[in-house]
Amino acid sequence: MTRSRVRVLAAVAAATTLVASAAPALADEVVDVVERVNASTYAANRLVVSVWGDETQVVRERVEHASGQEMVRTDETWSMKGGGRVVTMSDAPSGIAFMMTPTAIDTGRYEVGETTQVTHMRRDCTLIPILEDGQVRAHMIVDDRTGAPLITYIYDGDGSVFRTVSLSDFSPYRMYEWPDAYEDVPVEIVMHDEAKIVPTEAAGYELVEVFPGPGGSEQGFYSDGLFSFSLFAFKGDASVAGFEDPMAFVTESGIYDIVPTAKDVRVTWADGHRRYVLVGDLPPDHLGDVLAELPQQDSAGMFVRWWRRLFG
Amino acid sequence: MAGMTPDERLSMLLSCYLDGELTKDELAEVVDVLEHDVAAIAEFRRLKEARNALRTLPTPRMPMYLLPAGHLGSELSAYLDGELATGELPRISGHLDVCAECRDELADLDRSRTAVRSLPGLEPPDFLALARDAREARTRARWPAVAAAVTGLAAVAIAFTVGIGIGDRGTVAVDVAELEARHGAVVSGTSVTGIRTSSP
């Protein structure tokens, strides 16, 4: 039994019925929460809703989670993720696997607040607030039996809900809906690389891994223990498809082209020497802070974005 | 089938069965009868043999005065060229089946086309050939100058490209969906403790 399970079970035993409070937890309990969620076993329908400015992004998917692996199925495709490998089955099946070095990620930015015993979907759960600088960054309702995150609320810097992730049609076990054919899909292996371009830290996100990216780019993977992003740095002005109809994201350091999805945000800019693409699940205020500490976009690109913002 | 005797009705049903024109209920009735009624089986065989005999009879040549008005004429040419609408084909084929005159005309037309295709290519008259040779000579005379100009332009373009390319410039094309998939794969392999819970 893991240390986190011991802690959670002890908390459950001490709880009376619906509400039981605990003293503010240590920062390393964030590690316990995250690891327990990653190790949980369940099958469910997952609804993810994210709000970026005036736009709301929604995705519904069938998910089966077990042993650190996750099968995600939508109407069009399905993918299998786990252990640094993703296999996607669609019209053109593809697979990629990253050889990663074991690296502990510093979660010191966050701490677990006072937990509360609640009932959700007639299941005994624990409501876990995750705090950043004393303010709530996330609320998680975690199933006591399986460790599954039945509902997760992520908050923006101003306290508004930025993203909700909720499970329905929940089963506390595997449904074994994983297709057999995915084992036959050829997988591209990507080895670890040394950082040459990407910075080692950005606004509380540390550089965890570096890999060679597509088109001769460099991929830096950053995490703060709860959220993460990858920064791709291309030599020259690479052409990146998928930014044909971007949103303007205004920060103190400039205006950026972004394309938000329900689960991620995509950002691109150029600094005159390189094209950068950022992909990650970080909330808007974190994104603004991160962009301010990454290489800045060139003034020409900035002018174009200002012009678009002023005159459409 | 009202007013028929049972035998007449059976004969009609069997005939329709051979033509594939029975309803679902009638088909079930016929199948049932053919499984149990020896007389019905005999009648079915008789009808079938009669139809086969009819099919093997020689096709009579229909007198011209009985043919539908007009022959195919220019439609034969379109028929050979495969330019007829699909809906027209049954009418043309049906007419050719019964009209020996149109069949003969079609054969003649096909033979004449084959003959034209097999003719040797015609040479142009001498005065046209001379004019063509003179034109080609002028083109050949201009070619070195054109080639030199193109080569010069290409050299300038290459020099320009290489000059601009000094440094880290270059153009690659990628899809952000691919980058997102790569990020997702890395996320699935990370652990806040540094201990991986599963392996690829």
Side-chain angles (χ1 to χ4, degrees):
Chain A
M1 186 176 290
T2 64
R3 186 176 55 149
S4 58
R5 279 196 181 169
V6 171
R7 288 183 183 178
V8 172
L9 289 176
V12 170
T16 52
T17 51
L18 284 179
V19 179
S21 296
L26 300 173
D28 67 350
E29 285 200 341
V30 175
V31 173
D32 296 341
V33 172
V34 173
E35 286 296 286
R36 183 152 192 261
V37 165
N38 285 341
S40 58
T41 297
Y42 61 90
N45 289 327
R46 184 162 63 193
L47 177 69
V48 184
V49 181
S50 294
V51 180
W52 286 88
D54 297 333
E55 289 196 21
T56 302
Q57 307 291 329
V58 181
V59 66
R60 292 180 180 84
E61 54 197 14
R62 179 70 184 168
V63 59
E64 188 166 320
H65 193 109
S67 306
Q69 294 209 36
E70 187 170 270
M71 183 277 293
V72 179
R73 195 180 71 214
T74 64
D75 291 340
E76 295 84 22
T77 183
W78 67 261
S79 62
M80 179 76 76
K81 292 182 185 179
R85 182 177 69 166
V86 169
V87 174
T88 302
M89 295 294 282
S90 59
D91 292 341
S94 63
I96 190 164
F98 289 81
M99 297 294 105
M100 301 172 68
T101 51
T103 307
I105 299 172
D106 182 12
T107 61
R109 182 179 199 165
Y110 303 104
E111 60 180 2
V112 173
E114 293 183 0
T115 61
T116 306
Q117 291 304 118
V118 296
T119 301
H120 180 68
M121 294 196 297
R122 288 186 289 183
R123 302 183 65 82
D124 292 334
C125 302
T126 304
L127 173 63
I128 303 172
I130 295 178
L131 311 177
E132 178 185 347
D133 295 333
Q135 289 193 326
V136 179
R137 174 57 71 179
H139 269 122
M140 302 176 79
I141 296 180
V142 177
D143 181 45
D144 287 343
R145 180 179 154 197
T146 62
L150 299 183
I151 297 185
T152 303
Y153 299 96
I154 310 289
Y155 301 95
D156 198 359
D158 60 4
S160 61
V161 175
F162 148 68
R163 176 177 292 141
T164 61
V165 184
S166 54
L167 303 183
S168 60
D169 299 324
F170 179 80
S171 302
Y173 43 78
R174 278 179 63 177
M175 301 294 284
Y176 290 97
E177 293 180 358
W178 300 6
D180 297 328
Y182 85 93
E183 291 288 357
D184 299 329
V185 176
V187 173
E188 176 192 351
I189 306 294
V190 184
M191 305 299 289
H192 173 82
D193 202 357
E194 296 300 323
K196 301 179 188 69
I197 304 169
V198 294
T200 56
E201 193 268 344
Y205 286 78
E206 61 175 303
L207 181 64
V208 181
E209 291 273 10
V210 179
F211 299 99
S217 64
E218 181 174 296
Q219 177 184 0
F221 174 76
Y222 298 78
S223 176
D224 69 351
L226 200 58
F227 307 105
S228 63
F229 68 87
S230 283
L231 178 67
F232 296 86
F234 294 87
K235 293 177 182 175
D237 195 10
S239 167
V240 185
F243 287 95
E244 289 76 16
D245 187 21
M247 259 181 77
F249 183 70
V250 182
T251 70
E252 290 181 0
S253 58
I255 299 179
Y256 291 81
D257 283 344
I258 70 166
V259 175
T261 69
K263 297 199 280 189
D264 278 320
V265 62
R266 306 155 171 181
V267 190
T268 186
W269 73 97
D271 69 352
H273 302 285
R274 293 186 177 86
R275 160 87 32 202
Y276 295 93
V277 179
L278 182 151
V279 178
D281 65 350
L282 60 183
D285 61 321
H286 280 200
L287 178 62
D289 296 342
V290 165
L291 290 174
E293 296 190 12
L294 292 177
Q296 296 299 294
Q297 57 188 328
D298 57 303
S299 54
M302 185 85 76
F303 175 77
V304 168
R305 282 161 191 79
W306 274 111
W307 184 273
R308 276 192 207 148
R309 182 165 172 73
L310 291 172
F311 304 109
Chain B
M1 296 184 192
M4 290 182 178
T5 66
D7 286 347
E8 286 171 344
R9 184 173 183 280
L10 176 63
S11 188
M12 179 63 75
L13 283 175
L14 291 174
S15 181
C16 290
Y17 176 68
L18 285 170
D19 292 335
E21 295 173 347
L22 291 176
T23 64
K24 191 178 176 185
D25 292 341
E26 289 171 339
L27 179 64
E29 183 184 347
V30 168
V31 170
D32 184 56
V33 167
L34 288 175
E35 281 182 359
H36 304 99
D37 190 338
V38 177
I41 296 170
E43 174 67 8
F44 179 71
R45 283 182 178 163
R46 190 187 65 75
L47 280 172
K48 203 172 175 184
E49 284 166 4
R51 284 174 179 246
N52 286 340
L54 274 175
R55 283 200 194 98
T56 56
L57 285 175
T59 307
R61 176 164 286 198
M62 194 174 287
M64 289 297 289
Y65 64 87
L66 290 178
L67 284 175
H71 293 292
L72 295 175
S74 62
E75 288 178 306
L76 288 173
S77 181
Y79 179 74
L80 273 179
D81 293 338
E83 292 173 350
L84 284 177
T86 309
E88 291 285 294
L89 285 173
R91 183 176 64 82
I92 304 299
S93 299
H95 183 87
L96 286 170
D97 284 346
V98 295
C99 179
E101 193 173 331
C102 281
R103 280 203 300 273
D104 291 344
E105 190 180 343
L106 182 68
D108 288 343
L109 192 59
D110 191 33
R111 274 194 294 273
S112 62
R113 290 185 174 216
T114 306
V116 168
R117 281 193 210 106
S118 62
L119 286 173
L122 293 175
E123 286 298 316
D126 287 347
F127 69 91
L128 287 178
L130 287 173
R132 185 190 62 193
D133 291 347
R135 195 164 54 245
E136 286 178 356
R138 283 198 299 274
T139 305
R140 279 196 298 270
R142 273 203 304 267
W143 173 242
V146 173
V150 169
T151 306
L153 284 173
V156 169
I158 290 168
F160 183 75
T161 305
V162 170
I164 294 296
I166 292 171
D168 284 339
R169 287 191 182 273
T171 300
V172 295
V174 294
D175 195 314
V176 73
E178 181 190 351
L179 306 182
E180 194 170 37
R182 283 175 169 262
H183 173 66
V186 176
V187 169
S188 76
T190 57
S191 161
V192 286
T193 61
I195 300 168
R196 292 172 66 167
T197 52
S198 60
S199 56

